[in-house]
């Protein structure tokens, strides 16, 4: 569809809200809130945030499933831009759950008076670039239209729920839910026969909590998964004091690290460490719990033999924990290297299979044939169910962007531009879509990083870029094709230097969505390295971008 001729006055007359802004931001999660603050309060721009939910929080607004918790540690899962904010906020647990994260984000929104520039309940239907006026025309489902010079998507990487197209779901007489669209009033499982499909990070968090109240829980596992104990618990006053006294140091470590966590990867090889010592180190990491396990050795993600040592350690733990050998064998039959998929952390996941009211069904051996009015039928049995929980993940990284009708120069749709995969420059911009910035887009470290660290870097880079444009009277920015081609090569090379592409069914590759191009989407070269690349690009006068008046 070609862009229609632009009539700003008519648009503003017709619009139900103020029509024109310097910048429109889509989404009011971690990214959108900070982007609003930076553009409005630091640069003095007029900004509107459009948010589909009726509150702030992004992923945490929607993901309220049982057991939901952040897998980054709370003292690093937060903003660092304001010393006052860091001083006054106190996390209560090692891994916060949605209520505490939502309290935090509401606190941030209120403290910086952000809500007055957020329009809630606003679903962005389309965003079309008007070349003549150099403006983005954004329409909501409610029929509102707004314009802005800059359009910034802050839609998160995991917001587009993947509800698999399983035959017969419409005939199911019980209730069903997707974990990423969880009812805010909660779901009462007591006395119910529950079927859970999916054993990724979400399913691994949800199953133990559902099993506590359900009459019976049947977990349908397609791909077995590694998991390490989270070891969640309340933060001690001593730790809270440590965090307050070391805020700057903790921030510096998160910025220097590969994954944005408050620790560095140990400088020792699993293969070169004598087996007894290596075993002791894994035991120690298992006791400490959490994603730090992955950082125990430097070669886990680059050398298959090194990775095998971690994989075998976890498989042995599964066999130790799970009493029924047949169930343990199914849980330990993992087909990818450790951490090649996002590594889950859990609270009593494997222990849950020792409960009398929990059954594991291996749907790789006996696939789901259909959902019936009574439950789920696999190739060899029917499981009567009252509730089905889809813990089946998301159309990651590109889903939330492509479900909006985004069109650039000449009416080119983003879906068409990305038909072969999300080609872009630095995960920030796409040629043909001037002044459109993505926060934590595909091609950036995003989901391979502790998200707030990635988000702050992106938002600050975008803010500095817009400030630069305004200082120099520049009106348009977009990457050139060569820069995009080169970046795509670098993203591929970074992934191929690791074991990440060895997980063939990973959502990092888009493999969970039928028909989605198989492209490794996040940048795997490390957050610290990526930060430097972006800073160098800016320092070299935005090398690879075309800036024009
Ligand atoms: O989704 P997933 P998730 N039939 O895609 C299975 C973040 N997160 O929601 O592996 C049967 O990882 C699928 O099986 P398979 C985190 O980044 C963060 O768990 O494709 N099964 C898999 O087992 C994470 O990586 C936190 O064979 C089907 C599962 O469903 C990301 O969200 C907490 C199926 C999906 O796993 C996504 O995790 C939770 C089908 N048709 C999540 N389709 C934090 O703590 C899919 N599956 C921050």
């Amino acid at each position: 569809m070609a862009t229609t001729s632009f009539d700003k006055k008519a648009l503003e007359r017709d619009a139900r809200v103020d029509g024109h802004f310097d910048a429109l931001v889509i989404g009011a999660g971690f990214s959108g809130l900070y982007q609003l603050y930076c553009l409005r309060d630091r640069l003095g721009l007029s900004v509107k945030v459009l948010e589909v939910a009726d509150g702030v929080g992004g992923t945490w607004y929607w993901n309220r499933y049982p057991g939901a918790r952040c897998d980054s540690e709370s003292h690093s899962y937060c903003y660092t831009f304001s010393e006052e904010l860091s001083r006054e906020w106190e996390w209560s647990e090692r891994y916060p759950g949605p209520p505490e994260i939502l309290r935090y984000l509401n606190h941030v929104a209120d403290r910086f008076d952000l809500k007055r520039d957020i329009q809630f309940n606003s679903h962005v239907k389309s965003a079309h670039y008007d070349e003549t006026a150099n403006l983005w025309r954004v329409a909501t489902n409610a029929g509102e239209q707004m314009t802005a010079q800059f359009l910034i998507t802050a839609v998160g990487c995991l917001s587009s729920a993947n509800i698999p197209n399983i035959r017969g779901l419409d005939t199911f007489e019980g209730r069903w839910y997707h974990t990423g669209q969880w009812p805010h009033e909660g779901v009462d499982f007591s006395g119910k026969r529950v079927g859970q499909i999916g054993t990724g990070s979400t399913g691994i968090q949800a199953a133990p909590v559902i099993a506590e109240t359900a009459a019976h829980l049947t977990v349908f596992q397609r791909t077995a998964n590694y998991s390490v104990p989270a070891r969640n618990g309340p933060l001690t006053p001593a730790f809270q004091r440590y965090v307050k006294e070391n805020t700057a140091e903790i921030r510096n470590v998160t910025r220097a690290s590969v994954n944005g966590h408050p620790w560095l990867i140990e400088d020792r090889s699993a293969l070169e460490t004598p087996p007894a010592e290596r075993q002791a180190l894994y035991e120690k990491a298992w006791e400490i719990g959490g994603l730090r396990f992955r950082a125990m050795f430097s070669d886990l993600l680059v050398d298959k033999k090194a990775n095998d040592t971690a994989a075998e350690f976890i498989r042995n733990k599964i066999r130790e924990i799970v009493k029924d050998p047949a169930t343990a064998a199914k849980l330990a039959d993992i087909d990818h290297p450790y951490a090649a998929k996002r590594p889950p952390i859990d609270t009593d996941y494997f222990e849950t299979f020792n409960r009398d009211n929990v059954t594991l069904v291996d749907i790789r051996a006996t696939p789901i044939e259909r959902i019936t009015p009574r439950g789920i039928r696999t190739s060899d049995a029917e499981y009567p169910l009252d509730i089905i929980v889809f813990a089946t993940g998301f159309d990651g990284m590109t889903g939330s962007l492509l479900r909006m009708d985004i069109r650039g120069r000449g009416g080119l749709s983003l879906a068409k531009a990305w038909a072969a995969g999300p080609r872009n420059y630095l995960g920030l911009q796409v040629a043909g879509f001037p002044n459109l910035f993505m926060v934590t887009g595909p091609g950036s470290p995003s989901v391979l990083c502790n998200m707030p660290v990635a988000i702050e870097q992106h938002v600050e880079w975008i803010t500095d870029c817009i400030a630069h444009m305004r200082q120099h009277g520049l009106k348009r920015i977009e990457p050139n094709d060569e820069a995009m081609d080169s970046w795509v090569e670098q993203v591929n090379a970074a992934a191929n230097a690791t074991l990440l592409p060895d997980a063939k069914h990973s959502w990092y590759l888009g493999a969970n969505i039928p028909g989605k191009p198989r492209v490794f989407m996040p940048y795997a070269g490390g957050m610290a390295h990526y930060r430097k690349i972006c800073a160098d690009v800016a320092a070299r006068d935005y090398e690879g971008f075309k800036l024009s008046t």
Side-chain angles (χ1 to χ4, degrees), residues 59-60 63 65 67-72 77 95-96 101 157-158 162-166 178-180 196-205 220-225 291 335-336 341-345 363-364 368 390-396 447-448 451 504-508 511-514:
T59 195
W60 299 105
N63 281 271
Y65 58 87
R69 267 185 199 285
C70 183
D71 57 8
S72 293
Y77 195 77
Y95 307 98
I101 300 174
C157 300
L158 297 157
N162 169 36
I163 299 164
N165 186 12
I166 301 178
H178 187 281
T179 49
Q196 176 186 304
I197 304 179
T199 52
S201 304
T202 301
I204 281 175
Q205 287 182 334
F220 295 89
Q221 170 189 281
R222 187 164 70 181
T223 305
N225 214 337
L291 291 173
D335 68 357
H336 52 276
K341 282 185 170 187
R342 167 92 168 207
I345 60 173
I363 53 170
R364 194 161 280 184
I368 294 177
F390 288 97
T392 44
F394 302 89
D395 182 355
V447 292
L448 297 179
M451 287 306 283
K504 303 288 179 223
H505 301 291
S506 150
W507 61 262
Y508 293 157
N512 61 332
I513 303 296

Side-chain angles (χ1 to χ4, degrees), residues 105-151:
L105 290 174
N106 275 287
H107 170 73
V108 172
D110 292 337
R111 192 190 194 291
F112 297 102
D113 193 17
L114 299 178
K115 286 181 185 166
R116 69 181 153 92
D117 290 309
I118 304 173
Q119 185 174 310
F120 294 107
N121 302 304
S122 293
H123 188 132
V124 171
K125 189 173 80 174
S126 64
H128 294 180
Y129 177 65
D130 184 310
E131 190 166 359
T132 316
N134 186 32
L135 283 173
W136 281 91
R137 304 181 58 178
V138 173
T140 68
N141 268 359
E144 295 154 322
Q145 298 207 42
M146 289 162 237
T147 59
Q149 182 186 1
F150 296 102
L151 177 64

Side-chain angles (χ1 to χ4, degrees), residues 204-376:
I204 281 175
Q205 287 182 334
V209 182
I210 295 174
E212 278 170 19
T213 54
H216 196 92
L217 171 67
T218 307
V219 176
F220 295 89
Q221 170 189 281
R222 187 164 70 181
T223 305
N225 214 337
Y226 303 97
S227 186
V228 168
R231 311 262 184 235
N232 189 35
L235 295 179
T236 61
F239 187 79
Q240 287 171 326
R241 210 168 38 250
Y242 156 80
V243 171
K244 292 268 184 284
E245 288 168 3
N246 294 279
T247 308
E249 174 59 17
I250 292 167
R251 188 190 56 214
N252 291 344
V253 176
T254 61
R255 291 190 174 196
S257 72
V258 172
N259 302 107
H261 291 294
W263 55 77
L264 300 175
I265 294 177
E266 298 289 345
D267 187 21
R268 66 177 160 236
S269 145
L271 284 184
E272 286 166 17
T273 303
E277 192 184 325
R278 186 173 63 214
Q279 180 73 9
L281 287 165
Y282 280 137
E283 288 290 356
K284 184 174 157 209
W286 185 265
E287 281 317 306
I288 294 170
L291 291 173
R292 207 178 274 250
F293 187 92
R294 182 179 50 179
M296 219 49 186
F297 296 102
S298 57
D299 45 358
L300 293 187
L301 262 183
V302 291
D303 185 317
K304 177 69 170 53
K305 284 204 172 79
N307 191 286
D308 287 345
T309 65
E312 203 42 33
F313 177 87
I314 299 175
R315 287 196 186 100
N316 283 335
K317 285 288 180 195
I318 297 170
R319 294 179 195 116
E320 267 172 40
I321 295 169
V322 180
K323 295 192 181 116
D324 171 44
T327 304
K330 285 181 207 162
L331 288 165
D333 184 17
I334 307 171
D335 68 357
H336 52 276
Y338 168 66
K341 282 185 170 187
R342 167 92 168 207
I345 60 173
D346 69 279
T347 301
D348 295 339
Y349 176 64
F350 296 115
E351 289 82 349
T352 293
F353 294 93
N354 293 332
R355 295 179 66 115
D356 292 338
N357 69 335
V358 176
T359 309
L360 180 70
V361 175
D362 176 358
I363 53 170
R364 194 161 280 184
T366 55
I368 294 177
E369 286 190 338
R370 61 171 301 143
I371 294 174
T372 67
R374 295 182 60 237
I376 291 180

Side-chain angles (χ1 to χ4, degrees), residues 389-432:
V389 173
F390 288 97
T392 44
F394 302 89
D395 182 355
M397 306 213 72
T398 54
S400 307
L401 291 165
L402 296 181
R403 73 183 165 185
M404 297 181 283
D405 175 21
I406 298 180
R407 288 170 193 260
R409 187 180 284 116
L412 175 69
S413 75
L414 189 61
K416 194 161 180 201
W418 282 2
R423 193 167 159 265
N424 65 58
Y425 184 37
L426 300 173
L428 281 163
Q429 276 217 307
V430 185

